PDB file of all heavy atoms in Angstrom:
ATOM      1  N   THR A 266      72.113 -10.263 135.159  1.00 89.00           N
ATOM      2  CA  THR A 266      71.865 -11.494 135.981  1.00 89.00           C
ATOM      3  C   THR A 266      70.410 -11.610 136.363  1.00 89.00           C
ATOM      4  O   THR A 266      69.998 -12.656 136.938  1.00 89.00           O
ATOM      5  CB  THR A 266      72.664 -11.370 137.256  1.00 89.00           C
ATOM      6  OG1 THR A 266      72.311 -10.212 138.015  1.00 89.00           O
ATOM      7  CG2 THR A 266      74.178 -11.440 136.915  1.00 89.00           C
ATOM      8  N   GLY A 267      69.573 -10.565 136.156  1.00 88.00           N
ATOM      9  CA  GLY A 267      68.161 -10.570 136.565  1.00 88.00           C
ATOM     10  C   GLY A 267      67.896 -10.074 137.869  1.00 88.00           C
ATOM     11  O   GLY A 267      66.786 -10.096 138.329  1.00 88.00           O
ATOM     12  N   HIS A 268      68.939  -9.596 138.572  1.00 90.00           N
ATOM     13  CA  HIS A 268      68.742  -8.977 139.874  1.00 90.00           C
ATOM     14  C   HIS A 268      69.917  -7.969 140.138  1.00 90.00           C
ATOM     15  O   HIS A 268      70.872  -7.932 139.422  1.00 90.00           O
ATOM     16  CB  HIS A 268      68.746 -10.003 141.007  1.00 90.00           C
ATOM     17  CG  HIS A 268      70.062 -10.849 141.072  1.00 90.00           C
ATOM     18  ND1 HIS A 268      70.135 -12.091 140.787  1.00 90.00           N
ATOM     19  CD2 HIS A 268      71.282 -10.452 141.603  1.00 90.00           C
ATOM     20  CE1 HIS A 268      71.354 -12.578 140.952  1.00 90.00           C
ATOM     21  NE2 HIS A 268      72.063 -11.564 141.420  1.00 90.00           N
ATOM     22  N   VAL A 269      69.645  -7.070 141.096  1.00 92.00           N
ATOM     23  CA  VAL A 269      70.635  -6.088 141.465  1.00 92.00           C
ATOM     24  C   VAL A 269      71.154  -6.434 142.879  1.00 92.00           C
ATOM     25  O   VAL A 269      70.333  -6.494 143.843  1.00 92.00           O
ATOM     26  CB  VAL A 269      70.046  -4.689 141.485  1.00 92.00           C
ATOM     27  CG1 VAL A 269      71.097  -3.631 141.958  1.00 92.00           C
ATOM     28  CG2 VAL A 269      69.562  -4.311 140.105  1.00 92.00           C
ATOM     29  N   SER A 270      72.448  -6.753 142.949  1.00 92.00           N
ATOM     30  CA  SER A 270      73.040  -7.068 144.236  1.00 92.00           C
ATOM     31  C   SER A 270      73.586  -5.749 144.921  1.00 92.00           C
ATOM     32  O   SER A 270      73.636  -4.698 144.250  1.00 92.00           O
ATOM     33  CB  SER A 270      74.111  -8.018 144.081  1.00 92.00           C
ATOM     34  OG  SER A 270      75.237  -7.402 143.353  1.00 92.00           O
ATOM     35  N   LYS A 271      73.998  -5.947 146.196  1.00 93.00           N
ATOM     36  CA  LYS A 271      74.641  -4.699 146.851  1.00 93.00           C
ATOM     37  C   LYS A 271      75.876  -4.313 146.022  1.00 93.00           C
ATOM     38  O   LYS A 271      76.151  -3.059 145.938  1.00 93.00           O
ATOM     39  CB  LYS A 271      75.083  -5.195 148.226  1.00 93.00           C
ATOM     40  CG  LYS A 271      75.708  -4.042 149.054  1.00 93.00           C
ATOM     41  CD  LYS A 271      76.020  -4.515 150.456  1.00 93.00           C
ATOM     42  CE  LYS A 271      76.782  -3.386 151.266  1.00 93.00           C
ATOM     43  NZ  LYS A 271      77.089  -3.846 152.589  1.00 93.00           N
ATOM     44  N   SER A 272      76.651  -5.247 145.560  1.00 92.00           N
ATOM     45  CA  SER A 272      77.819  -4.904 144.774  1.00 92.00           C
ATOM     46  C   SER A 272      77.520  -4.079 143.527  1.00 92.00           C
ATOM     47  O   SER A 272      78.097  -3.125 143.108  1.00 92.00           O
ATOM     48  CB  SER A 272      78.607  -6.167 144.391  1.00 92.00           C
ATOM     49  OG  SER A 272      79.736  -5.846 143.538  1.00 92.00           O
ATOM     50  N   ASP A 273      76.467  -4.558 142.770  1.00 91.00           N
ATOM     51  CA  ASP A 273      75.994  -3.884 141.589  1.00 91.00           C
ATOM     52  C   ASP A 273      75.542  -2.513 141.877  1.00 91.00           C
ATOM     53  O   ASP A 273      75.852  -1.523 141.169  1.00 91.00           O
ATOM     54  CB  ASP A 273      74.785  -4.606 140.956  1.00 91.00           C
ATOM     55  CG  ASP A 273      75.142  -6.031 140.456  1.00 91.00           C
ATOM     56  OD1 ASP A 273      76.328  -6.145 140.079  1.00 91.00           O
ATOM     57  OD2 ASP A 273      74.235  -6.925 140.457  1.00 91.00           O
ATOM     58  N   PHE A 274      74.735  -2.339 142.964  1.00 92.00           N
ATOM     59  CA  PHE A 274      74.265  -1.032 143.345  1.00 92.00           C
ATOM     60  C   PHE A 274      75.400  -0.069 143.748  1.00 92.00           C
ATOM     61  O   PHE A 274      75.364   1.023 143.303  1.00 92.00           O
ATOM     62  CB  PHE A 274      73.309  -1.212 144.558  1.00 92.00           C
ATOM     63  CG  PHE A 274      72.721   0.037 145.057  1.00 92.00           C
ATOM     64  CD1 PHE A 274      71.833   0.854 144.351  1.00 92.00           C
ATOM     65  CD2 PHE A 274      73.096   0.564 146.331  1.00 92.00           C
ATOM     66  CE1 PHE A 274      71.339   2.087 144.718  1.00 92.00           C
ATOM     67  CE2 PHE A 274      72.552   1.723 146.765  1.00 92.00           C
ATOM     68  CZ  PHE A 274      71.728   2.486 146.056  1.00 92.00           C
TER      69      PHE A 274
END
Side-chain angles (χ1 to χ4, degrees):
T266 58
H268 61 253
V269 177
S270 65
K271 180 180 178 180
S272 175
D273 295 331
F274 178 68

